[in-house]
Amino acid sequence: MDAAENRPAEVVPADRAGSFVLRMSGMDQSYVDLTDPTRLVFEYVRRLGDVVDAVGPAGEPLRVVHVGGAGLTLPRYVAATRPRSAQVVLEPDARVTELVRRELPLPRQSGIKVRAADGRTGLAALRDGSADLVVVDAFADARVPGSLVTAEAYAELARVAGGAGVVALNLTDRAPFAWTRRAVAAVRTSFPHLLLTAEPATLRARRAGNLVVVATAGTLPLDALRRRATTAGSPYRVLDAAAVSDSFGGGAPFTDADTEPSPAPG
């Protein structure tokens, strides 16, 4: 085991007053701005924030489930931009949650409830159709767990999201995207509609990166995300279902009996 994997989680000051970085396994996991929770510094988190903005009318509360908590950056964003939202965070590492609550306290009456459960266990305990949005942004030793990218996992996500809910998945990979092809194939076993967002450099095979898949049985916020992509501080591409098939098709779906975590970084 790499020495970095034994390092305890820590919170360190970031680039300006009131901002902090949560480090886990020796890597920067979350950036939290306590003075401005709408400031999303990590590029892929900003894209997840764009999904939050595109689901339902602006400013209206949502029922949100987060699989993976870390510094609670995105739950803080939802609480700031959509007051009165009911949020459940599934974070299995209670020590990380305790550290974050102590050093990066949540605002009062945030509506954020953290449960010490892994994604699959926590999802199984939720009611059918109980979420308007489910965000899956979970890592173990800097890799997306294999248990969260299987056909069975996506069936559970589809149950919780119901007929109209949206699921946003943060995947990490590099060209030729063999792992993502299998994850996308698994998504399609439960969701009839999907899109994918990514940085151009990742799609052009220049570097590994974050691939955000948005899936639903209802209506995709395709046009809203495309508008946002052209005006974002870090422009990104939005691929519709046909483009996803062209670039990330052909994989055999991951299953609980045949899965693996995302490729190691580096």
Side-chain angles (χ1 to χ4, degrees):
M1 181 177 291
D2 189 279
E5 296 178 3
N6 288 317
R7 296 180 193 171
E10 59 179 344
V11 172
V12 298
D15 55 340
R16 71 185 201 182
S19 297
F20 301 87
V21 171
L22 172 68
R23 287 183 180 156
M24 299 171 64
S25 301
M27 299 185 66
D28 291 352
Q29 187 72 29
S30 300
Y31 185 107
V32 177
D33 189 332
L34 294 179
T35 62
D36 182 6
T38 68
R39 180 171 174 254
L40 304 179
V41 170
F42 291 175
E43 188 274 341
Y44 86 87
V45 179
R46 179 62 264 175
R47 280 190 273 138
L48 289 172
D50 291 346
V51 176
V52 171
D53 295 344
V55 175
E60 289 196 1
L62 295 174
R63 300 170 301 162
V64 186
V65 174
H66 304 264
V67 180
L72 305 175
T73 302
L74 201 64
R76 297 171 199 267
Y77 179 84
V78 174
T81 60
R82 293 179 177 272
R84 303 182 310 284
S85 290
Q87 301 189 75
V88 173
V89 180
L90 306 176
E91 171 51 65
D93 196 331
R95 294 171 301 176
V96 169
T97 299
E98 180 182 358
L99 171 69
V100 169
R101 286 189 178 277
R102 182 176 67 249
E103 300 198 24
L104 304 172
L106 291 167
R108 294 184 61 185
Q109 299 180 329
S110 67
I112 300 169
K113 297 180 179 180
V114 183
R115 298 179 182 176
D118 66 81
R120 294 289 293 273
T121 301
L123 287 169
L126 297 175
R127 301 188 311 275
D128 294 5
S130 57
D132 303 307
L133 173 64
V134 183
V135 179
V136 182
D137 182 18
F139 292 88
D141 296 328
R143 304 173 75 180
V144 180
S147 62
L148 295 178
V149 295
T150 66
E152 294 87 345
Y154 294 133
E156 193 78 338
L157 286 164
R159 180 187 66 79
V160 172
V166 173
V167 175
L169 315 156
N170 177 37
L171 309 179
T172 58
D173 202 358
R174 65 171 66 245
F177 305 114
W179 182 85
T180 298
R181 293 174 193 276
R182 298 198 63 187
V184 166
V187 171
R188 283 193 155 124
T189 62
S190 288
F191 292 97
H193 311 299
L194 62 79
L195 60 80
L196 182 148
T197 76
E199 291 182 277
T202 300
L203 295 175
R204 293 171 185 156
R206 293 179 180 174
R207 62 170 180 261
N210 298 82
L211 306 163
V212 173
V213 176
V214 182
T216 184
T219 302
L220 279 173
L222 178 63
D223 292 339
L225 290 177
R226 280 182 165 164
R227 288 193 297 269
R228 177 58 187 164
T230 60
T231 61
S234 298
Y236 57 88
R237 294 214 26 222
V238 179
L239 306 185
D240 61 16
V244 173
S245 294
D246 289 344
S247 299
F248 297 94
F254 283 126
T255 67
D256 283 350
D258 174 25
T259 190
E260 60 183 292
S262 62

